[in-house]
Amino acid sequence: MDQARNHTAGPGAQIHLTVLHDARVHTSNFINDVGKGQLIAQCLLFLDNALNSRVVQHALGVTQRTHDQTGVQFGSSNDGLFQAFAQIIERVGDQRLKIYLYHIPPVSGVPLDLPLVGRLADTYPDCVVGLKDSSGEWLYTEKLLRTRPGFGAFSGSEIFLRNNLLAGGCGTITASANVNAPAIRSAYDSFQDEKGEVLQADITRRRKIIQAHPMIPALKSILATVAKDDNWRRVRPPLLPLSSTDSNNLIKSLVMDEYPPLTKMAITIEQ
């Protein structure tokens, strides 16, 4: 997921789903491409309104557009949401389709309640195979894994990585992996080792430094500093780049945290 570059759905974007981002979207090709068997979906959400609102992005065979409209407003009953997913699954009608649901109520405004997730997984066990939880609440993933062992649950933040793995989950899909992947990978590989708690504490501390600022502008400030290229600071509206003061504070905090890409550089902090 190219979150650092394009993960910019803002407040009011009621649905945001993504496998890979591209600068072109033409959703009228979506169903036709599926019908031709050109797609093996990893993440596929909602129904015609979502398609017509041009917020769907897909990995293979579908040309794409950017997030240029606000999202679809739902009454969001579990029955209605179930029918939305069921329509897509049954219209695709391809056993290769594997759906990882995206629970991100802070952005979507549409929570995926655990009874809904269970109903979808029970009705379409070979299709609805996992979920990414970006609610920021560990209890949601914990209860999901406790009630559905083996379900492909990912946490949306590395703060919950070790808890996720110890509970039988798959790990994390996290925006900050764009700037801290080696440390996150080490914590993943060693979660059962004696040093597992220490490595988890390290990535948790660094994540909290980054998320003290708006996530995408913060990531871009880090990349701009490391690459010595201010073009990285550009974001799409409604997001704004970090101010010089906020960017400097972020970089100072990461230097104090001994963030490796910065400790290898002679960093000049603007006054």
Side-chain angles (χ1 to χ4, degrees):
M1 297 176 66
D2 191 7
Q3 291 177 308
R5 187 178 59 155
N6 281 324
H7 193 287
T8 57
Q14 296 300 307
I15 302 172
H16 177 217
L17 58 150
T18 176
V19 177
L20 291 178
H21 286 269
D22 193 288
R24 307 156 310 224
V25 170
H26 194 287
T27 54
S28 62
N29 291 335
F30 186 79
I31 296 299
N32 287 338
D33 284 349
V34 171
K36 294 175 183 177
Q38 294 177 1
L39 303 179
I40 302 174
Q42 290 182 329
C43 181
L44 174 63
L45 301 179
F46 302 117
L47 68 172
D48 291 342
N49 286 337
L51 301 178
N52 293 336
S53 291
R54 300 184 293 177
V55 295
V56 173
Q57 301 208 9
H58 211 282
L60 302 172
V62 177
T63 53
Q64 301 182 8
R65 288 183 201 166
T66 54
H67 297 283
D68 57 355
Q69 291 186 349
T70 57
V72 179
Q73 301 290 333
F74 284 105
S76 67
S77 71
N78 279 352
D79 285 344
L81 290 171
F82 177 85
Q83 289 301 322
F85 285 103
Q87 278 192 25
I88 293 293
I89 293 168
E90 292 176 10
R91 288 171 65 185
V92 170
D94 192 317
Q95 64 182 1
R96 296 173 297 171
L97 180 66
K98 306 298 179 187
I99 292 179
Y100 285 79
L101 306 171
Y102 199 178
H103 177 61
I104 183 170
V107 174
S108 70
V110 183
L112 302 181
D113 293 341
L114 291 175
L116 169 65
V117 174
R119 182 181 174 190
L120 285 166
D122 289 339
T123 306
Y124 304 104
D126 297 324
C127 178
V128 179
V129 295
L131 175 146
K132 177 184 175 184
D133 176 14
S134 290
S135 67
E137 300 291 337
W138 164 244
L139 288 177
Y140 179 95
T141 305
E142 181 183 42
K143 186 172 182 180
L144 174 62
L145 289 170
R146 187 171 64 249
T147 56
R148 304 197 71 84
F151 197 65
F154 292 87
S155 293
S157 168
E158 68 271 28
I159 288 174
F160 307 117
L161 173 60
R162 190 164 186 265
N163 286 342
N164 178 293
L165 295 170
L166 290 172
C170 295
T172 183
I173 302 172
T174 173
S176 48
N178 284 279
V179 298
N180 201 33
I184 295 170
R185 179 63 202 230
S186 293
Y188 174 88
D189 289 335
S190 302
F191 78 96
Q192 290 180 307
D193 298 348
E194 291 182 2
K195 59 183 179 180
E197 287 188 28
V198 173
L199 293 174
Q200 178 61 56
D202 288 344
I203 63 172
T204 295
R205 184 182 63 252
R206 192 161 295 156
R207 168 72 183 223
K208 288 182 176 179
I209 290 171
I210 297 170
Q211 72 180 28
H213 305 270
M215 178 60 72
I216 303 309
L219 295 175
K220 289 190 162 238
S221 283
I222 296 167
L223 291 168
T225 303
V226 172
K228 298 181 179 180
D229 181 357
D230 282 341
N231 287 318
W232 275 104
R233 299 185 191 275
R234 289 201 300 261
V235 293
R236 294 177 181 172
L239 298 181
L240 295 171
L242 292 190
S243 67
S244 294
T245 298
D246 286 343
S247 181
N248 288 342
N249 288 339
L250 171 61
I251 298 305
K252 285 179 183 177
S253 296
L254 289 171
V255 169
M256 291 177 64
D257 194 49
E258 299 183 349
Y259 174 57
L262 295 179
T263 56
K264 297 174 184 178
M265 302 171 61
I267 299 297
T268 300
I269 304 298
E270 297 177 13
Q271 301 300 322

